[in-house]
Amino acid sequence: MVYTISIVALIAIFTVATLTPINMGILAFAGAFVIGGWVSGIPVEDIIDAFPGSTFIIVGGITLLFAIAKTNGTIDLVIEASLRLVRGRRWAILWMMFLLSGLLMALGSVLAVGMLAPIAMPLAAKNKINPFLMGMVISHGALACAFSPINLYGAFINGLMDSTGVGSNPLVLFALPFVLNLAIAIVLFLIYGLDLIGRRTPRPVEETPDGGGFGGSSRRPSGGVASGNGPGGNTATLTDREVIEEALIHEGVKPVKMNRYRFATLAGIGFLVVGSVAFGIDVGVSSICISAVLLLMAPKSHPKVIDNVAWPAVVLVCGMLTYMAVMTQNGTLDFLGDAASALGSPLLTALILCYAVAIISAFGSSIGTLGIALPLAAPMLAMGEVGAVGFVAALAFSATVVDVSPFSTNGVMVLANAQVEDKGRFQRKMLAYCGLIVLSSPMFVWALVVVPTSV
């Protein structure tokens, strides 16, 4: 009875949080105390001790550091400088957006697509880049780096796997979604973007009253934006740099310059990455210490920074991990493991789970879906019936690659900012593409990773 109640409560937590604005983490905390204390008889002190302090430090520290970088203009500086590098090359604009989206996600911004879509989609329209291609490229760019060990998704999955005793492998968890999302973006580019190679933004002709001098007309480089210039029919064109500046200012990204505070922020982020990768320094502790130094450099910015910390994400992750700890203590995970073994085919079970998370996540929360799927898979992984590392990475990829759905946060931002004549048709195209991803990705990643690592 305890096992059934625990599983039903988990499903109810996910369903209510998906259908209402209530934070899933709050429901999970409440469920941990109700199911753990009243139903399972676990002492309240043990439930409190199950709170994932290390994950809280990582997620809280990373989101705090990113909030500082956003508030002090460092993120705007990086975006602006990156776009200036492309110098009107349309293919380069596209892939720069892919890289920027991935970089922002890797450093801790789960809303990377939301930050870039208001800039990327108008730039696509001005530079005659297929809007569907641009929207999907920035989405897959973010999803490629979704499982960086120093962001929300990576911290959640690694923390969950460590708490269930299976053990994590941050490198494989990051590398597999990165490679597969990059491959998808390349395929999309080959289908929709080959015409961008070797051609800059179309440059209109600027005519003069006398026919343009010796040649009858004169040309001025432009970014493809022109404005009427009086009854004489003259056309004042903008340079590529002016087009980028206009797009940035229009979308709320003010041109910024390097100063000591932004330089210190970039240096702090660099130290965080190098320290964690090369020297094994704790990511959470490092990010909090770096954040403290940056706040001391500009203490008046403190209220704005706190407002920008992703507290809902912190609560969600910590709440789900606490509930998972209760399910471990009351034996529910062992029960699920026995049930999975009774199916007789671990590989088939793995395939079913990959499809299940893809379908559910296309309409709900990716991290919430993983919060349900991974505990279901953990006992099977612990018994060694399938390759643990490969299966976890496959589940992670299946649950997130479908975030191109027009019903996901990423998809909504792309759709809202797409400069197209028929938004309904654009949405249907996104939905059809998501359907293709749902049908093909779980099977592909299962055959590519799960099967070879399980035989």
Side-chain angles (χ1 to χ4, degrees):
M1 180 62 71
V2 171
Y3 306 147
T4 302
I5 295 175
S6 299
I7 296 169
V8 170
L10 178 62
I11 296 172
I13 288 170
F14 175 81
T15 303
V16 172
T18 300
L19 298 178
T20 69
I22 302 175
N23 187 291
M24 189 181 299
I26 295 175
L27 296 175
F29 274 126
F33 287 108
V34 172
I35 302 300
W38 293 354
V39 177
S40 305
I42 301 174
V44 173
E45 293 78 9
D46 291 348
I47 299 175
I48 295 175
D49 289 341
F51 179 84
S54 60
T55 302
F56 173 82
I57 295 295
I58 292 174
V59 178
I62 289 297
T63 55
L64 174 60
L65 180 58
F66 194 88
I68 293 173
K70 178 61 178 175
T71 302
N72 67 21
T74 302
I75 299 301
D76 294 344
L77 178 69
V78 172
I79 294 174
E80 181 185 359
S82 300
L83 289 176
R84 294 193 194 285
L85 290 175
V86 302
R87 301 182 64 83
R89 296 178 179 86
R90 297 192 295 160
W91 65 268
I93 292 174
L94 187 75
W95 287 107
M96 181 59 74
M97 284 297 176
F98 178 90
L99 293 175
L100 276 174
S101 185
L103 176 64
L104 293 177
M105 177 65 88
L107 294 178
S109 174
V110 294
L111 299 178
V113 175
M115 295 174 61
L116 288 179
I119 300 171
M121 301 311 287
L123 278 177
K126 292 174 183 178
N127 290 277
K128 300 187 182 303
I129 299 172
N130 186 304
F132 175 77
L133 175 63
M134 176 64 84
M136 295 305 98
V137 162
I138 61 174
S139 295
H140 285 294
L143 298 174
C145 298
F147 294 96
S148 161
I150 61 172
N151 77 358
L152 171 65
Y153 285 91
F156 175 71
I157 300 300
N158 289 320
L160 184 59
M161 299 317 297
D162 286 336
S163 67
T164 55
V166 175
S168 60
N169 190 319
L171 179 60
V172 174
L173 180 63
F174 174 80
L176 179 65
F178 178 85
V179 171
L180 293 180
N181 277 284
L182 175 60
I184 293 173
I186 292 173
V187 171
L188 289 172
F189 180 77
L190 293 177
I191 296 173
Y192 296 104
L194 285 180
D195 64 311
L196 304 179
I197 298 177
R199 296 173 59 188
R200 289 174 178 262
T201 304
R203 302 175 183 274
V205 176
E206 179 183 11
E207 298 182 357
T208 61
D210 61 359
F214 296 107
S217 68
S218 63
R219 297 178 182 269
R220 182 183 176 188
S222 81
V225 176
S227 60
N229 196 28
N234 296 345
T235 302
T237 60
L238 300 175
T239 64
D240 293 325
R241 177 169 181 168
E242 288 168 336
V243 170
I244 293 174
E245 287 182 350
E246 180 186 274
L248 291 170
I249 294 173
H250 181 266
E251 302 304 333
V253 182
K254 299 179 180 179
V256 293
K257 295 182 179 180
M258 180 68 74
N259 58 26
R260 67 183 186 89
Y261 194 24
R262 295 178 186 122
F263 178 81
T265 304
L266 290 173
I269 293 174
F271 174 82
L272 175 68
V273 174
V274 174
S276 61
V277 174
F279 301 101
I281 300 176
D282 186 271
V283 173
V285 174
S286 297
S287 58
I288 288 179
C289 291
I290 294 168
S291 298
V293 172
L294 294 174
L295 289 175
L296 289 172
M297 292 179 64
K300 292 183 178 180
S301 68
H302 181 262
K304 293 182 179 179
V305 169
I306 293 299
D307 291 341
N308 287 330
V309 174
W311 295 116
V314 176
V315 173
L316 187 154
V317 169
C318 293
M320 289 300 295
L321 289 178
T322 302
Y323 190 81
M324 291 306 108
V326 168
M327 291 183 69
T328 300
Q329 293 183 40
N330 69 11
T332 301
L333 293 188
D334 292 335
F335 167 77
L336 291 172
D338 295 338
S341 299
L343 292 176
S345 178
L347 283 177
L348 178 59
T349 304
L351 179 61
I352 292 173
L353 280 175
C354 284
Y355 267 108
V357 298
I359 294 170
I360 295 173
S361 184
F363 300 94
S365 165
S366 298
I367 198 165
T369 303
L370 287 171
I372 293 178
L374 286 173
L376 297 178
M380 185 171 62
L381 297 175
M383 289 184 288
E385 296 180 330
V386 294
V389 175
F391 184 32
V392 170
L395 278 177
F397 171 74
S398 298
T400 54
V401 71
V402 297
D403 281 350
V404 294
S405 162
F407 303 108
S408 69
T409 303
N410 291 350
V412 166
M413 292 304 299
V414 169
L415 179 62
N417 291 280
Q419 296 190 355
V420 294
E421 293 182 0
D422 190 342
K423 285 289 184 76
R425 182 179 180 183
F426 190 79
Q427 183 183 35
R428 289 191 294 272
K429 187 171 185 177
M430 291 179 63
L431 188 58
Y433 175 69
C434 178
L436 178 63
I437 292 293
V438 170
L439 287 174
S440 59
S441 294
M443 176 64 75
F444 178 80
V445 74
W446 176 79
L448 179 69
V449 178
V450 179
V451 174
T453 58
S454 303
V455 295

